[in-house]
Amino acid sequence: MIAVKVSEKSIRRLSHYARCLRLAKLRGELIMTSQQLATNCGISSAAVRRDLSIYGEFGKQGSGYNVNDLLVNIEDILGTTNPPPVIIVGAGSIGCALMDSGLDGTGGYIYDSIFDNDPAKIGKKCGEKIIQSTDEIKNVLEVNNEIIAVIAVTGGAGQQALENLVQAGCKAILSFTLEPLRAPENVEVRYVEVSTELDVLTHSIRRKERVN
Amino acid sequence: MIAVKVSEKSIRRLSHYARCLRLAKLRGELIMTSQQLATNCGISSAAVRRDLSIYGEFGKQGSGYNVNDLLVNIEDILGTTNPPPVIIVGAGSIGCALMDSGLDGTGGYIYDSIFDNDPAKIGKKCGEKIIQSTDEIKNVLEVNNEIIAVIAVTGGAGQQALENLVQAGCKAILSFTLEPLRAPENVEVRYVEVSTELDVLTHSIRRKERVN
DNA sequence: GCGTGTGAACCTCTTCACAGCG
DNA sequence: CGCTGTGAAGAGGTTCACACGC
């Protein structure tokens, strides 16, 4: 497998293919065609083949792709064969709901620990984990700095949470905050933006087709 | 304002501009330049001007954009001047956390009501709202079918929840499920995919630059 | 025959650079 | 002079259609 320049859209689709393949595997299917993957993911079969051919030749002409082999290959491309642990910063309703919902069936991610800076919460339980002080974050990252942090704090404390994480050596952050966060170049920050999704949906149901 | 063909990426950015403008308005700023908006949203000033020029000429050469006027115009484009109510289907941890976190500061969206099909939950409170039976959904949509539904159910019940919503006349759905849902052509479905975001982040911190 | 892998055409979005207006 | 709005160039991604291998 030869690594190539990254396209986020392609990586996103690979993630979807992996999810499809895991479900197919559970159903006991051994082979999938690009057409089947395409239908499952709502795109064209040509797009699927194009995505996969960027990284290698995983299919067999006339039959399709071996479910297990392709899954292994995609996980290798994504780097998710042994996914990094995920920590949650902020033990409010969102943070605890995430912890509670778990990450099963998503490809091996697990919520490793949860942190908050409210003394009233520290030591209490959230699901099966005990809420730790945010001061402990640096200790967790000292052991393994290849973790993903989910920021689920409220009320404008996102930037502070981010800086604490970056200070501790964190390189990947998924934020539920509304505020856009400032991070160093080498730290990857992504957002779950419910309100943007709502805007897109609103536009979709209300768009006025006043063309000309 | 003349409507043009839609580009989702552009709509997404408009949503970001609107958020920036609301914050600027709160800070009492009257004028913003494309450069300021660009810096806030992490893109180029040319991209901002291009996005806005698609819909009209909102700026003044030499000075910039009037914060209030531009916000009004963007909300008009998005259709979010009077945002539709949002309902939540599934009063589990995610559903209740969303209800609990509210949608303040996001441009006027409010969680109108929450539903579940578990008799043990119906009638109980979730935040300030009483959990209603999913059988009631059709009544809500009968009064106003221009609503957005958030699907926050667990364990593979997403498709059933969607069908119930579609049956009731719902046209816009935001799903937190992992499973890809099947919906009629005229129903817009979007997803909040935490596990895909984690995959993208994992790939980002682990990508091997084995170029050739 | 069937489905993959891929050159080539196509299309969409982004960036550049500057004319034009306040 | 400063900043917008936009033609033109460029980059990137998608679709088409078919040669090739099973």
Side-chain angles (χ1 to χ4, degrees):
Chain A
M1 200 263 298
I2 299 164
V4 214
K5 70 172 166 185
V6 209
S7 149
E8 185 191 313
K9 297 197 91 180
S10 177
I11 295 297
R12 248 190 153 66
R13 285 192 298 261
L14 288 178
S15 173
H16 292 161
Y17 304 153
R19 202 178 304 160
C20 277
L21 289 165
R22 282 186 206 105
L23 291 173
K25 194 177 170 181
L26 284 177
R27 288 192 301 266
E29 295 171 31
L30 300 175
I31 299 286
M32 279 192 94
T33 64
S34 59
Q35 182 57 58
Q36 287 173 287
L37 274 165
T39 306
N40 267 285
C41 299
I43 58 176
S44 74
S45 65
V48 173
R49 293 199 302 278
R50 174 72 67 191
D51 277 333
L52 297 176
S53 73
I54 292 173
Y55 301 97
E57 305 194 359
F58 304 124
K60 285 200 173 64
Q61 281 104 331
S63 59
Y65 300 88
N66 176 298
V67 168
N68 216 24
D69 290 355
L70 184 57
L71 180 55
V72 167
N73 277 307
I74 291 179
E75 287 181 343
D76 186 40
I77 296 163
L78 292 174
T80 56
T81 308
N82 293 299
V86 181
I87 67 171
I88 298 175
V89 182
S93 48
I94 296 281
C96 288
L98 289 171
M99 180 62 86
D100 189 56
S101 67
L103 278 169
D104 297 332
T106 64
Y109 291 102
I110 52 162
Y111 290 123
D112 180 84
S113 42
I114 182 164
F115 303 88
D116 205 294
N117 60 9
D118 179 355
K121 286 181 183 165
I122 296 165
K124 295 232 171 76
K125 275 198 160 185
C126 170
E128 311 217 321
K129 300 283 182 180
I130 290 169
I131 300 168
Q132 300 178 61
S133 163
T134 48
D135 297 337
E136 303 288 330
I137 291 176
K138 61 178 182 301
N139 301 330
V140 173
L141 277 146
E142 211 160 83
V143 177
N144 176 11
N145 87 324
E146 203 179 53
I147 60 114
I148 297 175
V150 175
I151 295 184
V153 302
T154 50
Q159 186 64 37
Q160 191 196 325
L162 178 138
E163 281 162 21
N164 188 20
L165 285 163
V166 169
Q167 182 80 26
C170 180
K171 295 275 176 276
I173 293 171
L174 179 60
S175 177
F176 280 75
T177 60
L178 276 174
E179 357 146 28
L181 305 176
R182 284 171 303 278
E185 192 73 19
N186 62 334
V187 177
E188 176 88 1
V189 183
R190 305 192 60 80
Y191 298 88
V192 173
E193 301 180 306
V194 173
S195 75
T196 297
E197 302 302 332
L198 293 177
D199 279 350
V200 176
L201 285 168
T202 301
H203 176 265
S204 159
I205 57 178
R206 288 185 172 174
R207 70 186 139 194
K208 301 126 189 165
E209 308 280 7
R210 291 193 249 154
V211 181
N212 289 333
Chain B
M1 200 262 298
I2 300 165
V4 213
K5 70 172 165 186
V6 209
S7 147
E8 185 192 312
K9 297 197 89 176
S10 177
I11 294 297
R12 252 193 149 65
R13 285 193 298 263
L14 288 177
S15 173
H16 292 161
Y17 304 153
R19 203 178 303 161
C20 276
L21 289 164
R22 283 186 205 106
L23 291 174
K25 193 176 171 182
L26 283 177
R27 288 193 301 268
E29 294 170 33
L30 299 175
I31 299 285
M32 280 191 95
T33 65
S34 60
Q35 181 57 59
Q36 287 174 287
L37 274 166
T39 305
N40 267 284
C41 300
I43 56 174
S44 74
S45 64
V48 173
R49 292 199 300 280
R50 174 72 65 190
D51 277 333
L52 298 177
S53 73
I54 292 172
Y55 301 97
E57 306 194 1
F58 305 123
K60 284 201 174 65
Q61 279 105 330
S63 59
Y65 300 87
N66 177 298
V67 168
N68 216 23
D69 290 354
L70 184 57
L71 181 55
V72 167
N73 276 307
I74 290 179
E75 288 182 342
D76 186 39
I77 296 163
L78 292 174
T80 56
T81 308
N82 292 300
V86 181
I87 67 171
I88 298 174
V89 181
S93 49
I94 296 281
C96 288
L98 289 171
M99 180 61 87
D100 190 57
S101 67
L103 278 168
D104 297 333
T106 63
Y109 291 102
I110 51 162
Y111 289 123
D112 179 84
S113 42
I114 182 164
F115 303 88
D116 205 293
N117 59 9
D118 179 355
K121 286 180 181 165
I122 295 164
K124 295 233 169 72
K125 274 199 163 183
C126 169
E128 311 216 323
K129 300 283 181 179
I130 290 171
I131 300 167
Q132 300 176 61
S133 163
T134 47
D135 297 337
E136 302 289 331
I137 291 175
K138 61 178 183 298
N139 300 329
V140 173
L141 277 146
E142 210 161 84
V143 176
N144 176 12
N145 87 324
E146 204 179 53
I147 61 115
I148 297 174
V150 175
I151 294 184
V153 302
T154 51
Q159 186 65 36
Q160 191 196 326
L162 177 137
E163 281 162 21
N164 188 18
L165 285 163
V166 169
Q167 182 79 23
C170 181
K171 295 275 177 274
I173 293 171
L174 180 60
S175 177
F176 280 75
T177 60
L178 276 174
E179 359 146 24
L181 305 176
R182 284 171 303 278
E185 192 72 18
N186 62 336
V187 176
E188 176 88 0
V189 182
R190 304 193 61 79
Y191 298 87
V192 173
E193 302 180 305
V194 172
S195 75
T196 297
E197 302 301 333
L198 293 177
D199 279 350
V200 176
L201 286 167
T202 301
H203 176 264
S204 159
I205 58 178
R206 288 184 172 175
R207 71 187 138 193
K208 302 124 190 168
E209 307 280 9
R210 290 193 251 155
V211 181
N212 288 336

